[in-house]
Amino acid sequence: MRTLDHDEFLAMRRFPALDGLRAIAATIVILFHFAGPKWSWLSGWVGVYIFFVLSGFLITTLLLREQDRTGRISLSAFYLRRVFRILPPYLVILGGIIVFVWLRGEFFTREFPHALKYYLTFFNEFFPASSPNGPDNFFSGSWTLGIEEKFYLFWPFLLVVAGAVGLAAAWRKLALAIAAFALMAGLVGVTSGWVLNGPQVPIYRSTVHYAILLIGCVLAIAMHYRRSYAVIKPLTHPLAAIPVFGAFALLHVNMESLWWETGSNLGLLIAYGLLSAMLLVVLVSPGPLRRLLATKVMRFVGERSYSLYLLQGPVHFAVVAAIPPLGEHRMISALTVFAVGLGIADLIHRWVEQPMILTGKKLIARRQERKALRAAEAELKRPNAVEAPSAAR
């Protein structure tokens, strides 16, 4: 029954309980979409915001640790890791959808030629809503990939720029700047189409998502540096899990009703993002909640949650085509989509995701070896390189 020391946090190489949190987020999203109105209290639609906070936290933590370890952030290595992590499952699932609708003779009737220019450039969130038979019904969840890919593109670059202009040793200033930007992103989301009495544009086009991602980034920065970690440290005590989880669960199960009662107030999403960040602190700290979410079952689902999330739409369509009664949204429909989707996600994880991640790591390692070799050769060509041994005698 003690708090987590800063050195212990920095020594952690994996956060297994966060895989369990991914599992929960993916599951409640599927339940929200297919279990029917009786399960609306699960507020499954906000599961994507758990993913956003997680992404901001994990990506920023990895980048800051790389900077401590090597003295710099390699943008090329980062982008290669993301390409080999994100693209293969995404393209395999998208390709499977295309083959499926082509074989059914629906490729053109479902507007896929028009949709592909959005899907292949990761502008998914800007794909216009179409007819009930449109391609967005197959790949509706992919709008979050459009948001995250833009985040992956710009955020590491901003960290490198911050270091170049002298902020590397003063991350608390950057944290304040990020917090201010997060607030501004939320305000822009309100003024660019979201008002307190309801939305004028779809929620997935709001800039509030970047504010949620940045909440995770701010948490990562605060936990990486000793002085700011001291402020967060009390939340790492096992007893802190009780009020944190209690507040998070209370808001979560009431998000659906509060969202509509307050006129789709985006401030609720910011509050949810902040509580999600506090929950992450609890889950990386010792305690029963971390042990529960780090079990093999939870980690199994969490490690496959990316593909599972993307598969929910096409799997539901295929399941309904095979068993029409499952077209009615009820728990048996959601559980069927979950089971079939998880099975396919497991195959993608084993045969596509893991091999491609390993390929990316090997490519990065070879690039680093070649770079080190070139640096050594350049050093040997320096005029004093030959004189140095004799001077040392």
Side-chain angles (χ1 to χ4, degrees):
M1 297 291 286
R2 63 178 183 82
T3 56
L4 181 71
D5 290 337
H6 186 239
D7 291 335
E8 290 178 300
F9 170 72
L10 293 181
M12 297 173 70
R13 287 292 164 264
R14 278 189 60 82
F15 306 112
L18 299 190
D19 286 329
L21 186 60
R22 285 194 186 97
I24 292 174
T27 301
I28 63 174
V29 169
I30 292 174
L31 291 176
F32 167 70
H33 283 144
F34 307 115
K38 290 182 179 179
W39 295 90
S40 63
W41 61 270
L42 280 175
S43 304
W45 60 278
V46 295
V48 296
Y49 298 102
I50 297 176
F51 284 121
F52 285 155
V53 176
L54 269 169
S55 291
F57 173 75
L58 291 173
I59 291 301
T60 306
T61 295
L62 291 173
L63 291 171
L64 293 177
R65 292 186 177 186
E66 178 187 356
Q67 186 175 59
D68 281 355
R69 187 176 63 255
T70 66
R72 60 187 292 272
I73 294 173
S74 173
L75 290 177
S76 61
F78 173 82
Y79 293 135
L80 280 172
R81 284 194 298 269
R82 289 295 92 195
V83 165
F84 280 91
R85 169 68 177 88
I86 298 296
L87 283 184
Y90 178 84
L91 293 177
V92 165
I93 293 170
L94 179 59
I97 294 172
I98 292 171
V99 170
F100 181 75
V101 297
W102 182 275
L103 292 176
R104 289 174 60 88
E106 300 177 352
F107 182 78
F108 294 100
T109 58
R110 289 185 179 273
E111 305 177 25
F112 264 92
H114 175 61
L116 286 179
K117 65 183 180 182
Y118 293 93
Y119 292 155
L120 294 177
T121 57
F122 287 100
F123 280 91
N124 312 52
E125 73 271 31
F126 294 105
F127 180 72
S130 59
S131 64
N133 292 323
D136 50 314
N137 291 309
F138 286 87
F139 219 30
S140 59
S142 68
W143 69 268
T144 60
L145 269 293
I147 301 292
E148 292 208 28
E149 286 304 293
K150 296 175 187 63
F151 164 72
Y152 293 146
L153 182 62
F154 290 107
W155 175 242
F157 175 76
L158 291 177
L159 284 180
V160 172
V161 170
V165 298
L167 290 178
W171 285 102
R172 58 184 179 275
K173 294 181 181 178
L174 182 58
L176 290 173
I178 295 168
F181 182 79
L183 177 60
M184 288 302 296
L187 292 175
V188 170
V190 174
T191 58
S192 64
W194 281 80
V195 291
L196 293 180
N197 62 351
Q200 296 173 330
V201 295
I203 179 63
Y204 46 81
R205 295 184 191 172
S206 171
T207 53
V208 72
H209 308 305
Y210 298 100
I212 304 297
L213 280 159
L214 285 167
I215 288 172
C217 299
V218 173
L219 175 65
I221 291 171
M223 295 190 72
H224 186 75
Y225 293 95
R226 192 174 300 274
R227 291 181 64 182
S228 49
Y229 183 87
V231 178
I232 296 174
K233 188 176 180 179
L235 292 178
T236 68
H237 194 281
L239 291 179
I242 299 173
V244 170
F245 178 75
F248 174 82
L250 183 63
L251 178 60
H252 180 88
V253 298
N254 287 285
M255 278 292 289
E256 178 73 8
S257 58
L258 288 173
W259 178 255
W260 298 111
E261 288 174 7
T262 60
S264 307
N265 189 338
L266 294 185
L268 279 174
L269 295 184
I270 300 294
Y272 187 83
L274 291 172
L275 280 174
S276 297
M278 295 173 68
L279 183 64
L280 295 194
V281 178
V282 169
L283 292 179
V284 301
S285 309
L289 198 58
R290 186 175 82 172
R291 290 194 294 272
L292 175 63
L293 268 64
T295 57
K296 289 184 178 180
V297 172
M298 298 297 286
R299 291 176 62 186
F300 180 90
V301 178
E303 289 169 354
R304 292 150 182 81
S305 60
Y306 171 48
S307 295
L308 176 61
Y309 173 78
L310 291 177
L311 282 164
Q312 58 179 310
V315 165
H316 178 256
F317 184 86
V319 164
V320 172
I323 311 174
L326 293 180
E328 180 185 354
H329 287 187
R330 49 202 176 110
M331 181 54 71
I332 186 63
S333 303
L335 292 178
T336 303
V337 170
F338 178 85
V340 175
L342 183 60
I344 300 174
D346 181 52
L347 296 178
I348 293 174
H349 180 73
R350 295 174 187 271
W351 295 350
V352 179
E353 198 169 344
Q354 287 186 318
M356 294 307 294
I357 290 174
L358 182 60
T359 300
K361 289 180 178 179
K362 290 180 178 178
L363 178 59
I364 292 170
R366 285 198 297 268
R367 285 170 55 90
Q368 291 174 341
E369 288 173 2
R370 288 196 296 267
K371 187 175 180 179
L373 182 60
R374 288 195 298 268
E377 290 174 347
E379 182 68 20
L380 288 173
K381 291 178 181 179
R382 291 176 55 189
N384 61 347
V386 178
E387 299 172 3
S390 59
R393 293 191 186 101

